[in-house]
Amino acid sequence: MVEFWRWKEYRWTAPDADWKNAGIISCGIDVGSVSSQAVIMTDGNLYAYSNMRTGSNSPDSARRALDWALEGTGLKQENMHFIVGTGYGRINIPFANKAITEIACHARGANFMYGPTVRTVLDMGGQDCKAIRCDEKGKVTAFLMNDKCAAGTGRGMEVFADLLQVHIEEVGDLSFKVDKEPPPVSSTCVVFAKSEASALLRKGVPKNEVLAAYCSAMAHRIFSLLERLGVEKDFGITGGISKNRGVVDRLTKELGITSLTPRYDPQVAGGVGAALFAKSLVEKQRAGQVAR
Amino acid sequence: MKANYGYKDGSGEFFITIDTDKCNSCGDCAKVCPPKVIVMITNDYDEVVPAVAEEHRKKIKYDCAPCKPVSGPRNLPCVAACKPVAIVHSW
Amino acid sequence: MITAGIDIGAKTVKVVVLKDGKVAGKAIDLSGFDQRGTSDRLFRKALAEAGADIKDVRMIVATGAGKGEFPHANDPVTEVTADARGANVIHPKGRTVISVGAEEGRAIRTDAQGRVVDFAVNEKCAAGAGAFTESMARALELKVEDLGPLSLQSTNAVPMNAQCAVFAESEVVSLVHAGTSKQDISRAIHDAIASRISSMARRISVENDVVLIGGVAKNKGFVESLKRDLATEVFVPQDPEFISALGAAHIAFEKASKQGGN
Ligand code: SF4
Ligand code: SF4
């Protein structure tokens, strides 16, 4: 069985915030195919979050992520005014009040993470790749998502890391330890690219060069997806592969623009967006009640 | 919003782009699509717009194939039905 | 008169030698890393089987993805042309040729003379070619030859959602974990690839008889799934993997005959 990204699960609570003073406590839960995050926000500020591996079923993964985010805060699920579920498992979160697509949540979350100047967000996940353009309010103006093909996703990279017996986190650095940049692997398909790489290895091409060839193929593939959408500054990159500079550096070089540094952990962008949607929904509800 | 549904794989790029700003929500495209690749949804911003149904998104190259014979006239029902020209196929 | 056809595919090389238009020798082997060397070796082997000498060969036609790798060839033809010709030789009533090799799937509509009328190709994505079943066999820890017989014993049609060979591997593994039988999984694998191949075939509008060639045609499980999906009979010749090389050899024979002499 292919291994997951070998990352540590973690949680976080804002060091100097107290939820007891908050008017709206909103929550977003992002159940992805590889990882799940629960994000709690107080009046639109990040209060606590958790990031865990997705288990075999969505309801459980959502529950565990939420429980862990709540841990030590004194908060309970009942204290949440609204919970929005997102991600691939969003329709399977029984305790969520509403489900919103990950595209909309990511855009909104990126607006929070990077500030309102962000116009293009690329999310490179374990099993998909999303490109989103948004306006200054974090509303989606265009999007594209590729979750059919493993090429250009974390999974494609894992297959290569496995083949070359390299730790997934080292791929990026190793791919730059080459005398000269090799031509990119020519097959897009991961299956065929793998045969191509095996042939290169057998010819005696050093491992790092093969890694470099794959990283640049992947960068180019993502570049061509972004081209379809058009890239406008500012530009932000989120998701597992955003940590792989072998791909990111080559991509930003090809694009000719740099990517923004997020103010918070970009892994939870989707969850943050969901929590912000939840907050707006509470506001809407309350406004409705006042009007009535 | 320009919603791109579909994918790029080793064999090519297969996207249906729906420009929801041009769409007038008439639903004609969904009505004429034989395999119901296109359906009407209420999106995250509460607009009633067409979208490619979830179960078709990873295989539109195949599911749209009957509308796209290799030779002969090409007249995609969804595109023809859309008066404001909000639907474009990439292949 | 000796003519030869060579099909240099992604995975295997096939050679057919004709003596006066009748098969006199053939050879097949994995392409390996030296396609040129392999081609040369197999060419000589097939010639030896035909009892012919290299200088007797009047004309050689090459086809397949690596057709440029064989310097002796007089002329290359596309895989589509060779497929159509070969299928016509073996089954003249064929009007639709479906050819599924390791890395490519093709659907070709032909006329009564075996000329190409229309075609569609599925390439560069393993999900639409033989490489798909190979990856799946690996995920199941089975030999690819075992998948066919297993799937014929299936009692249950299980859907496969992944449309990518890589994601399908994980799906197969989770099906195993969920307790789905290897028989049913094998059928799901063949149904999945057959549905992709038949959608491609429909783009050229399938006309009977349907001839299925290429290495994957030897997989009975796949043949069954394809028949079911196309809802028609499918004719599978003996040695389906040689048909393209056979077509090339026949094209060589015709050309040489036109040039006259013997
Ligand atoms: S090109 Fe390869 S990696 Fe992409 S969908 Fe096809 S089989 Fe999967
Ligand atoms: S091309 Fe045909 S099948 Fe595809 S979306 Fe349009 S109407 Fe539907």
Side-chain angles (χ1 to χ4, degrees):
Chain A
M1 177 83 193
V2 192
E3 282 186 57
F4 283 155
W5 294 89
R6 295 167 200 132
W7 46 275
K8 282 207 181 63
E9 300 185 325
Y10 53 86
R11 71 170 304 289
W12 176 91
T13 311
D16 46 7
D18 188 357
W19 59 266
K20 292 193 186 75
N21 306 324
I24 297 178
I25 305 176
S26 66
C27 172
I29 298 183
D30 183 352
V31 180
S33 52
V34 176
S35 64
S36 298
Q37 298 85 27
V39 174
I40 299 163
M41 296 186 98
T42 48
D43 295 326
N45 297 308
L46 204 49
Y47 175 70
Y49 63 78
S50 67
N51 184 14
M52 310 180 84
R53 278 189 182 76
T54 299
S56 54
N57 74 60
S58 305
D60 260 20
S61 308
R63 157 78 37 225
R64 285 190 309 127
L66 177 58
D67 286 348
W68 205 29
L70 293 170
E71 199 176 290
T73 62
L75 270 170
K76 296 208 169 40
Q77 187 190 318
E78 303 85 86
N79 301 117
M80 308 292 118
H81 293 118
F82 207 95
I83 302 179
V84 166
T86 187
Y88 133 103
R90 65 181 177 276
I91 35 170
N92 257 319
I93 309 176
F95 54 89
N97 304 90
K98 190 180 162 88
I100 296 181
T101 66
E102 57 266 46
I103 300 286
C105 289
H106 248 91
R108 187 109 184 230
N111 180 273
F112 180 87
M113 298 274 157
Y114 296 104
T117 57
V118 70
R119 287 294 168 279
T120 312
V121 190
L122 171 69
D123 180 62
M124 299 188 282
Q127 296 193 16
D128 66 2
C129 175
K130 301 187 260 284
I132 308 168
R133 288 182 54 173
C134 56
D135 65 13
E136 71 289 347
K137 294 198 192 71
K139 183 175 184 241
V140 179
T141 55
F143 74 86
L144 174 159
M145 164 143 142
N146 199 3
D147 59 353
K148 183 260 179 181
C149 174
T153 70
R155 175 57 62 78
M157 199 41 97
E158 276 176 359
V159 169
F160 262 72
D162 270 5
L163 176 75
L164 298 168
Q165 312 236 305
V166 173
H167 210 286
I168 195 94
E169 278 148 8
E170 291 166 2
V171 168
D173 289 342
L174 289 178
S175 80
F176 285 111
K177 292 191 180 136
V178 289
D179 299 335
K180 59 169 188 356
E181 183 78 7
V185 171
S186 68
S187 316
T188 295
C189 177
V190 176
V191 177
F192 298 150
K194 216 170 115 182
S195 331
E196 214 179 307
S198 308
L200 288 176
L201 289 173
R202 240 165 281 177
K203 266 197 216 150
V205 176
K207 210 183 212 180
N208 292 355
E209 246 173 63
V210 177
L211 276 178
Y214 191 63
C215 286
S216 67
M218 189 143 162
H220 184 70
R221 175 179 164 79
I222 293 168
F223 173 80
S224 73
L225 278 178
L226 282 169
E227 260 192 328
R228 157 161 294 278
L229 205 69
V231 178
E232 200 188 323
K233 288 203 280 188
D234 292 345
F235 176 54
I237 307 183
T238 62
I241 303 183
S242 62
K243 292 178 183 160
N244 181 332
R245 64 178 196 97
V247 177
V248 172
D249 290 6
R250 287 179 174 91
L251 172 65
T252 47
K253 191 170 162 213
E254 197 167 348
L255 285 170
I257 55 177
T258 49
S259 61
L260 292 175
T261 315
R263 294 189 290 159
Y264 304 93
D265 177 6
Q267 296 275 350
V268 296
V272 166
L276 289 170
F277 268 112
K279 171 177 172 270
S280 308
L281 287 160
V282 174
E283 284 162 353
K284 233 192 214 164
Q285 269 178 359
R286 289 186 186 166
Q289 272 157 14
V290 173
R292 223 175 280 150
Chain B
M1 181 195 324
K2 280 207 172 102
N4 290 281
Y5 296 100
Y7 50 89
K8 173 173 180 157
D9 67 11
S11 68
E13 267 189 74
F14 309 94
F15 284 102
I16 297 177
T17 307
I18 298 173
D19 189 336
T20 60
D21 300 327
K22 287 190 185 158
C23 170
N24 61 17
S25 304
C26 69
D28 289 348
C29 52
K31 264 177 241 148
V32 298
C33 174
K36 299 271 163 274
V37 165
I38 295 193
V39 293
M40 297 303 284
I41 60 158
T42 305
N43 74 5
D44 296 320
Y45 306 108
D46 294 325
E47 302 158 338
V48 176
V49 290
V52 172
E54 195 87 43
E55 67 268 29
H56 292 288
R57 282 181 199 170
K58 293 179 190 167
K59 42 182 190 158
I60 52 177
K61 169 184 170 183
Y62 301 109
D63 296 337
C64 291
C67 288
K68 301 185 176 203
V70 171
S71 38
R74 173 175 162 132
N75 187 12
L76 307 182
C78 53
V79 173
C82 179
K83 283 178 209 86
V85 201
I87 303 177
V88 177
H89 288 234
S90 75
W91 80 108
Chain C
M1 176 166 59
I2 304 288
T3 57
I6 180 162
D7 173 10
I8 307 173
K11 208 183 147 211
T12 54
V13 175
K14 287 115 332 197
V15 181
V16 170
V17 172
L18 301 183
K19 197 178 249 167
D20 300 326
K22 296 265 171 313
V23 178
K26 40 186 198 179
I28 180 170
D29 204 353
L30 294 177
S31 315
F33 292 100
D34 179 16
Q35 280 186 328
R36 198 170 281 221
T38 309
S39 304
D40 210 57
R41 178 168 57 78
L42 291 174
F43 179 55
R44 286 168 201 280
K45 189 174 164 200
L47 274 179
E49 195 184 301
D53 197 75
I54 197 149
K55 59 181 188 307
D56 304 334
V57 185
R58 279 286 301 277
M59 175 94 59
I60 308 167
V61 167
T63 188
K67 52 182 166 291
E69 292 293 319
F70 193 62
H72 299 309
N74 304 78
D75 234 341
V77 293
T78 64
E79 294 85 303
V80 169
T81 308
D83 282 348
R85 189 76 194 87
N88 182 267
V89 168
I90 214 88
H91 191 77
K93 273 179 25 213
R95 291 295 175 275
T96 306
V97 183
I98 297 180
S99 169
V100 189
E103 295 200 352
E104 219 175 85
R106 299 184 279 271
I108 309 152
R109 205 143 48 72
T110 65
D111 64 13
Q113 282 73 46
R115 281 185 301 243
V116 178
V117 177
D118 215 347
F119 72 93
V121 182
N122 210 342
E123 53 174 1
K124 300 196 174 101
C125 169
F132 181 76
T133 45
E134 280 163 33
S135 298
M136 297 310 105
R138 222 173 304 128
L140 280 171
E141 297 175 354
L142 289 172
K143 286 210 273 316
V144 72
E145 300 84 60
D146 298 337
L147 285 186
L150 273 174
S151 82
L152 295 179
Q153 296 161 18
S154 159
T155 49
N156 211 347
V158 197
M160 285 247 299
N161 297 317
Q163 295 291 325
C164 165
V166 177
F167 292 141
E169 270 187 49
S170 331
E171 192 170 344
V172 159
V173 172
S174 21
L175 284 173
V176 172
H177 287 192
T180 314
S181 73
K182 293 206 164 167
Q183 285 81 355
D184 291 346
I185 299 177
S186 304
R187 166 159 176 195
I189 292 164
H190 295 131
D191 283 353
I193 172 140
S195 100
R196 290 191 277 272
I197 297 287
S198 57
S199 310
M200 172 184 69
R202 286 196 193 96
R203 291 191 61 208
I204 53 146
S205 60
V206 178
E207 207 181 293
N208 279 339
D209 290 357
V210 178
V211 185
L212 177 63
I213 62 172
V216 181
K218 288 197 294 191
N219 178 332
K220 295 222 163 58
F222 170 70
V223 178
E224 275 315 303
S225 295
L226 188 69
K227 277 187 196 165
R228 227 175 358 245
D229 209 306
L230 289 174
T232 179
E233 223 7 85
V234 169
F235 176 82
V236 183
Q238 229 184 353
D239 299 331
E241 69 273 39
F242 277 103
I243 304 304
S244 207
L246 178 74
H250 271 275
I251 293 170
F253 177 62
E254 271 155 37
K255 283 192 181 169
S257 307
K258 267 189 211 140
Q259 284 175 2
N262 56 355

